[in-house]
Amino acid sequence: MTTAAELFALQRTDLAFDSNVARLAEVEAQLGETEELTSARERVDQCREEVREIQARKKELDFQAEEARGKAAEIEGKLYGGTMKNPKELEDFQADLTSLRGQLGKREDALLEAMLELEEGEVALKEAERALAEIETSWKAEQVVLGETQATLKQEIAELEAKRLDQIEGMDRVALSLYGILRERRQGTAVAVVERGLCQGCRITLPMSILQQARAGVGLVQCVSCERILLVN
Ligand SMILES: [Zn+2]
């Protein structure tokens, strides 16, 4: 015959098993990359891309400014070289030079702007890299702890499974099936302890006849309200 005490011991194993399985699922959900880590990495990539873009723009502006400077020097050479006699030609060259200097001024302004942007971009990149390194360090430490917890939980689950097999060996089939049905219906607790005449499963005061039957320990006695198997200590 299977007693309420035996089923209560089985329930303890099953509840521990359930809670470990739930904890394992939580732990496993936290294993792997976090959103915080991914977004910190994306931020670094984004900053790096911005710096690259500014550097390319600066290089192009450098080239254009150099080109304008070269052209201006060429015209100046012709203008002040003393070889040019035609006043109309002189006037045209003077106009070209003025326009080139204007262009050069604009390019140099743009270049200065780009240099400032580059400086800012590099500061932002360093900041993003520092933040990523910090997040990575604590993430790695967390993953180690999670990995250890996962291993411990798996070990405990395996031990509880073995214990359960031991416990159900020789148990009455009908009793086990009732236990299973009640566990499903009553959030995992099929057996309730009776304390001072109260069913601890549903807090109802039990009729004297039921209490006497449960105390006698002859067969399984169920609560009249919640139907749980009663265990009188
Ligand atoms: Zn009850």
Side-chain angles (χ1 to χ4, degrees), residues 37-202:
L37 182 66
T38 315
S39 66
R41 195 174 287 139
E42 277 168 7
R43 172 90 185 117
V44 168
D45 288 345
Q46 191 192 334
C47 286
R48 221 169 254 156
E49 188 48 48
E50 271 169 27
V51 165
R52 227 175 273 141
E53 185 269 318
I54 301 165
Q55 278 170 335
R57 190 147 42 87
K58 184 179 162 285
K59 199 176 165 191
E60 178 61 21
L61 286 165
D62 263 331
F63 175 76
Q64 287 176 354
E66 199 46 52
E67 201 179 38
R69 254 181 241 117
K71 273 188 194 159
E74 202 182 305
I75 293 172
E76 276 171 339
K78 282 184 185 158
L79 266 176
Y80 309 119
T83 52
M84 221 174 277
K85 304 288 182 228
N86 184 342
K88 176 76 180 88
E89 211 181 0
L90 266 171
E91 212 173 278
D92 284 350
F93 269 88
Q94 191 64 57
D96 280 354
L97 188 61
T98 309
S99 142
L100 260 176
R101 278 186 180 147
Q103 280 176 33
L104 185 60
K106 272 182 201 152
R107 275 165 196 168
E108 279 172 342
D109 285 349
L111 193 58
L112 191 66
E113 186 88 10
M115 282 160 80
L116 288 173
E117 262 184 68
L118 185 59
E119 216 169 280
E120 276 172 23
E122 280 167 345
V123 168
L125 175 59
K126 269 205 183 114
E127 175 57 31
E129 281 172 339
R130 194 197 54 72
L132 174 62
E134 208 170 89
I135 289 165
E136 251 173 352
T137 305
S138 63
W139 174 77
K140 273 182 194 156
E142 253 172 44
Q143 291 295 303
V144 170
V145 174
L146 285 170
E148 285 165 1
T149 310
Q150 182 193 32
T152 307
L153 285 170
K154 279 186 173 171
Q155 172 72 26
E156 281 173 15
I157 287 168
E159 282 166 13
L160 288 164
E161 274 172 336
K163 189 177 178 185
R164 182 176 214 280
L165 284 177
D166 263 2
Q167 284 175 313
I168 62 169
E169 208 187 308
M171 268 193 189
D172 183 308
R173 265 199 188 179
V174 178
L176 260 181
S177 137
L178 173 66
Y179 168 84
I181 291 165
L182 288 172
R183 241 171 75 75
E184 241 169 65
R185 273 197 215 150
R186 300 280 176 250
Q187 289 87 43
T189 59
V191 186
V193 174
V194 178
E195 260 172 40
R196 277 177 257 115
L198 279 181
C199 164
Q200 296 300 305
C202 66

Side-chain angles (χ1 to χ4, degrees), residues 192 199-204 206 223-228 230:
C199 164
Q200 296 300 305
C202 66
R203 319 291 299 174
I204 203 177
L206 294 157
C223 171
V224 287
S225 167
C226 71
E227 297 182 301
R228 288 185 178 91
L230 296 169

